[in-house]
Amino acid sequence: MKTVIKNISELIQTETNPKKWIAGKEMSKISTIKEAFLEYEDGIITAFGSMGQWKGIEDWNNTDIIDAEGGMVFPTYCDSHTHLVFAASREEEFVDRINGLSYEEIAKRGGGILNSAEKLQKSTEEELYESALNRLNNLIKLGTGAIEIKSGYGLTLESELKMLRVIRRLEKNTEVSIKSTFLGAHALPKEYKNNKDGYMDLVINEMLPKVASEGLADYVDIFCEKGYFTIEDTKRLLDSAQKYGIQGKTHVNQFNSMGGVQASIELGALSVDHLEEMKDYDFEALKNSDCMPTILPSCSFFLGIPYGPANKMIEKGLPVALASDYNPGSTPSGNMNFISSLGCIQMKMTPEQVINATTINTAYAMGLEKELGSICVGKKANIFITQDIPSYSYLPYSFGENVINKVILNGKVIV
Ligand code: NIG
Ligand code: FE
């Protein structure tokens, strides 16, 4: 059945020639249509244009009409970096940080990722599924229509598989487009405290083959950082994953620039994520690559660490993606509206740059740019309708508010 959304005050991020990503100066522009309509059928966008161009209804019996009532229509957000599956919150560490401890100091005391792993190992798949589904349903209300979710709080073969199976179940049972990433190399479990090579052997020789044979991961990730995993570990993992046809999406340059960007790009990573600490050679490595630099502003906000240099990347002609990093330790929120506000307010990106960075560029960073990330004929009808807002800049401006009235995924009204 055809559906037409009419009376859209402005249709945002329209595209006639689909692009793989938006980079450099182009990031400051978006295409929109004022007083518009949008048509879709079987979950796929079939037409859009100005209300004047709308031919009207040919077949009343076979057309649903949704009245946007003067609201705007945006493509849903693509959130290309999250750790949505976890067992428990970690607000005690939040308080420790208020009292002066750093993220690294908390991790050294056995808090951090190991704290989450201990709790996750004791949780059942069912418990993890229910809590993650609940979080995901909340994110849909906030406009997220595609999400990448990582493992990495299991840190044993059994618990990593448990997490990945939860992600696949979410993918099967919801309308959200989901990509799954195997992050076995997230932190060194206690039992391997003095045997990092032993743990990397476990990840590469036991976990990865099982994950690949069960088809549980679309991507592989590693926390390449002082005190976690090295450049050598990163290269070894990405190289092994390539043999299974699994591309990398890595955690690099969160606290230190130590060559993780270069190593990831050399081994064909789709994205490098965090990038709070960037040196000239990191920018150089990104030039002429197919790798999406992805910044996670709410992690910077929550931990009080620097924001990634989005404007410098854009000046150098690079694309930039903004994702949430939703996780219990460094970013207990997956609200992409707030990410948009942080992009504008803290990172001095324009609303247009932020829209490109949270839709088409994050779609690329999860291999979905042909299906999502813009309003384009042939792409999925994953959109949200806002309240009657005065301009699209109002969305990042009205931080902390939710101006979204309706969310439609695969052409189905979800919210
Ligand atoms: O992306 N930095 C590594 N991993 C997560 C945080 C994990 C945690 O603290 O639980 C991140 O920020
Ligand atoms: Fe992360």
Side-chain angles (χ1 to χ4, degrees), residues 81-83 150 183 186 221 251 274 296 325 327 330:
H81 182 138
T82 83
H83 309 249
K150 301 172 193 294
L183 176 55
H186 197 192
D221 193 350
H251 281 75
H274 269 290
L296 312 169
D325 198 20
N327 76 77
S330 72

Side-chain angles (χ1 to χ4, degrees), residues 68 70-74 77 140-143 335-338 340-341 384-407 415:
M72 295 195 179
V73 169
F74 287 70
Y77 295 114
I140 298 171
K141 290 181 199 147
L142 296 165
N335 186 343
M336 290 295 283
N337 300 295
F338 185 56
S340 303
S341 297
F384 62 76
I385 307 177
T386 69
Q387 296 164 8
D388 179 1
I389 54 176
S391 73
Y392 58 73
S393 301
Y394 186 86
L395 198 150
Y397 156 87
S398 61
F399 81 94
E401 297 293 317
N402 183 10
V403 300
I404 297 172
N405 260 351
K406 224 181 217 122
V407 181
V415 178

